[in-house]
Amino acid sequence: MRHRRIPAPTLQHIWLAIPVLLVAWAALLNPLRRLDFWWHLKVGQLIVETGRIPNTDLFSFTAAGKPFTYPNWLAEVMFYVVWRIGGLEALVFFDALMVVGAFMLVMATVRLKQPNHRLMAVSMLVPALTFALYSNLRTQVFSFVLLAFFFWVLWSVRAGRRERWLWLLPLLMAVWVNVHGAFVLGMGVLAGFLVSESVRRWWHGDAPDTLSPALLRRLALVLVLCAVATLLNPYGVQIYGYVRQLQQDPASQRYVTEWQPPVITSLEHVLIFFAPFFIVMLGLLYSATPLDLTELGLFVGFSIFALVSTRNGIWFAIAVAPIFVWHMQALRIKPLAHLRQRLGLPEPSAPASPRPRRENALLNWLLVIVLAGVTSLFSPWVRPHLANERLRPTLVDPVIPVEAIAYIDEANLRGNIFHVQDFGDYMIWRLWPEQRTFIDGRVHLYPADLVEDYIAALSARGWEAVMEKYDIAYIFLPKPTEENPDPLPLLDAVRQSREWRVLYEDGKSILFERAD
């Protein structure tokens, strides 16, 4: 019996692996975030254990019983199942799989036009940075994969391949509408692709890269089927109203940073959007091939979308990265030629075609082993045991006061707790139903006056009245850190008050109770 030899890795494989590994490492090193994850995990547990989706707020005492929509129910169930199987380690690994899967679908879309692999690897470092910054585990990671898959299928059809895969999109849309509200992006991309390709067909006729009338009709039918598939959710057509309400929620728009437009003076926003945008813009300006109508529409549309809200930077990366890399192949730097003419320098002679170098298989294997070793060190099953702060040994966001929340649970404290928003989501996971939150990551749930009371109390403006208004028995606040050395004004005010005394204190947080 013959044994197949494992093919030796080539430099081409190693080049292409570099941007993928950068995304994987970022995802593996990210702890489970303090906001917009833990309450989803609790909802998944409730759905699995009760067999039904809640329809009101269960987790806070400030909005208890208020009607609340849980459109991400399927993603929440998946989170809980993954946690039941492998704990927090499995959740971190699942996040890495999803983010890397979306990034590799973008790379698969890029490879439809067979670019130079080194140029592709270098060019893909630009979207890789954006993916790395968005690699926290949230329900939107499902949308990363699904939007990237939609683009891969549509561009494949445009390239004359995988036409039958179009029929898979309505099935995926039925899943998408139950995992994340960005399903409307999939609908928008399908509609925009159909319109722009129809205009291109009308303008260019039977050009090689235009879709045939029969294929355009098939694409229109797929769009209709996807629209029908969006109704396959517990809320029916009302799901669109929820998405619109979430986009227009005044509290989110005013107080949540990721819902606000990116600011060019912020380094994080520069890395998320502005730097990729200007790099892509320069590449497209100096490309010898102009953008066609579909490419132009995607670039302009997703650029505007990313300028509206910081959270939309990832959609820009998924949509525009293939267009950017394709046009980088035709890069033509004219200023260098003009400078050469002004200086009277001769045109460089065409270099002789180099002989193909024979690769060293042993060296390639050594590089692969080193990269695999680094990846294993970053894995959630290894790095917590290394006790190296640079490798972020904790799987939970270090801002979360895990020990203090465990104390609240063990002490079986009763009574309303005023706490910072950063603590709320993990409190839902660990303390519900014995304790409920004042505020948490679901900002769109809470009325504007409560959010204003919360901000006023943290600023120590009329904080005693806020505590009386909401019948607060405990105040739970973070302590200053190296990143935020200035204490909250409320912390100093409560320390100086005789009506409150310290019940628990550690390096991260402090818990006060009423002195009486």
Side-chain angles (χ1 to χ4, degrees):
M1 181 177 178
R2 289 185 176 181
H3 295 281
R4 291 186 177 181
R5 295 180 59 187
I6 301 176
T10 65
L11 282 177
Q12 171 182 320
H13 297 139
I14 296 171
W15 272 98
L16 293 178
I18 290 174
V20 176
L21 286 174
L22 291 178
V23 174
W25 293 344
L28 289 171
L29 286 173
N30 269 331
L32 297 168
R33 55 185 291 134
R34 55 187 178 271
L35 290 176
D36 208 20
F37 168 71
W38 298 101
W39 74 267
H40 286 294
L41 188 60
K42 177 58 73 173
V43 172
Q45 179 184 7
L46 288 176
I47 295 173
V48 170
E49 293 179 351
T50 65
R52 65 182 186 87
I53 302 171
N55 54 21
T56 62
D57 170 45
L58 303 174
F59 305 128
S60 77
F61 64 86
T62 49
K66 180 179 178 181
F68 189 71
T69 305
Y70 297 85
N72 307 323
W73 68 272
L74 185 56
E76 292 158 349
V77 168
M78 292 184 190
F79 285 165
Y80 181 67
V81 170
V82 171
W83 178 81
R84 282 286 299 269
I85 293 172
L88 300 182
E89 294 85 357
L91 284 169
V92 173
F93 186 70
F94 177 77
D95 174 49
L97 283 181
M98 297 293 287
V99 176
V100 170
F103 187 76
M104 292 187 71
L105 281 169
V106 174
M107 292 188 70
T109 305
V110 170
R111 295 192 67 181
L112 290 173
K113 295 191 178 182
Q114 299 179 344
N116 176 280
H117 291 95
R118 292 190 181 185
L119 175 63
M120 176 180 171
V122 174
S123 301
M124 286 301 294
L125 291 176
V126 178
L129 176 61
T130 303
F131 269 81
L133 294 171
Y134 282 89
S135 57
N136 295 103
L137 183 58
R138 302 173 67 179
T139 54
Q140 68 177 0
V141 297
F142 293 95
S143 288
F144 297 173
V145 176
L146 290 165
L147 182 63
F149 186 84
F150 268 53
F151 274 121
W152 177 70
V153 171
L154 292 172
W155 284 117
S156 296
V157 171
R158 162 87 176 259
R161 312 175 197 173
R162 304 182 183 91
E163 295 178 10
R164 294 182 179 179
W165 287 67
L166 281 172
W167 304 114
L168 187 59
L169 300 187
L171 297 176
L172 291 177
M173 183 58 73
V175 176
W176 198 347
V177 72
N178 290 291
V179 293
H180 192 249
F183 72 91
V184 293
L185 274 180
M187 295 296 300
V189 166
L190 270 174
F193 210 91
L194 175 61
V195 170
S196 61
E197 288 301 316
S198 298
V199 172
R200 291 184 70 249
R201 174 72 191 183
W202 171 77
W203 185 262
H204 296 290
D206 291 326
D209 62 343
T210 57
L211 301 184
S212 66
L215 197 51
L216 288 172
R217 288 193 295 270
R218 193 178 308 165
L219 187 58
L221 178 58
V222 169
L223 176 59
V224 172
L225 292 176
C226 283
V228 173
T230 62
L231 304 179
L232 302 177
N233 71 86
Y235 309 99
V237 72
Q238 294 178 3
I239 194 71
Y240 287 95
Y242 167 80
V243 174
R244 184 178 66 254
Q245 178 186 357
L246 186 61
Q247 293 285 337
Q248 298 175 354
D249 177 63
S252 298
Q253 299 289 338
R254 183 175 178 182
Y255 299 113
V256 181
T257 304
E258 68 173 16
W259 283 101
Q260 298 170 0
V263 180
I264 201 166
T265 54
S266 166
L267 177 60
E268 182 182 4
H269 294 178
V270 168
L271 296 176
I272 285 175
F273 172 68
F274 290 108
F277 172 78
F278 286 118
I279 292 172
V280 170
M281 178 69 78
L282 285 173
L284 296 178
L285 286 175
Y286 285 109
S287 175
T289 57
L291 294 171
D292 62 42
L293 181 61
T294 302
E295 294 172 338
L296 180 62
L298 289 172
F299 174 71
V300 173
F302 277 90
S303 296
I304 295 173
F305 197 45
L307 282 169
V308 170
S309 172
T310 305
R311 64 184 284 124
N312 296 333
I314 184 65
W315 315 127
F316 173 83
I318 293 173
V320 175
I323 300 170
F324 169 63
V325 181
W326 292 336
H327 285 270
M328 285 292 288
Q329 296 181 91
L331 197 63
R332 181 178 56 193
I333 308 297
K334 293 181 180 180
L336 296 180
H338 295 327
L339 180 62
R340 194 181 296 114
Q341 290 177 0
R342 288 191 176 187
L343 295 177
L345 300 176
E347 291 291 329
S349 57
S353 56
R355 295 180 180 179
R357 288 189 302 176
R358 187 175 181 180
E359 294 189 11
N360 188 321
L362 178 60
L363 180 59
N364 289 350
W365 274 116
L366 287 175
L367 288 173
V368 169
I369 292 171
V370 169
L371 294 174
V374 173
T375 304
S376 66
L377 288 178
F378 293 167
S379 82
W381 291 279
V382 176
R383 65 179 171 88
H385 303 287
L386 300 178
N388 187 321
E389 288 299 323
R390 294 185 178 180
L391 293 181
R392 302 177 185 176
T394 176
L395 300 180
V396 177
D397 192 326
V399 171
I400 299 174
V402 175
E403 294 80 6
I405 292 175
Y407 168 80
I408 295 173
D409 186 24
E410 294 166 3
N412 198 25
L413 298 185
R414 294 294 184 268
N416 294 339
I417 302 177
F418 179 91
H419 55 84
V420 293
Q421 183 191 25
D422 285 349
F423 296 173
D425 287 28
Y426 192 76
M427 289 174 64
I428 291 174
W429 170 243
R430 282 295 306 272
L431 302 179
W432 188 87
E434 285 74 18
Q435 279 290 348
R436 304 190 181 209
T437 60
F438 181 92
I439 193 171
D440 48 66
R442 304 167 299 159
V443 178
H444 56 289
L445 166 69
Y446 299 99
D449 58 342
L450 181 134
V451 178
E452 291 173 0
D453 286 344
Y454 167 74
I455 294 174
L458 291 183
S459 303
R461 290 184 284 106
W463 66 275
E464 298 98 333
V466 172
M467 303 307 154
E468 293 295 334
K469 178 179 179 180
Y470 295 99
D471 192 22
I472 300 300
Y474 303 94
I475 299 177
F476 189 21
L477 299 174
K479 297 176 72 173
T481 63
E482 292 183 2
E483 295 181 358
N484 298 300
D486 297 326
L488 288 171
L490 179 59
L491 178 59
D492 287 338
V494 179
R495 280 187 184 276
Q496 296 170 13
S497 173
R498 294 183 178 181
E499 296 185 8
W500 298 86
R501 65 187 178 196
V502 175
L503 178 62
Y504 174 91
E505 183 175 3
D506 60 21
K508 292 183 180 179
S509 62
I510 184 167
L511 177 67
F512 298 92
E513 68 172 349
R514 285 191 180 272
D516 57 358

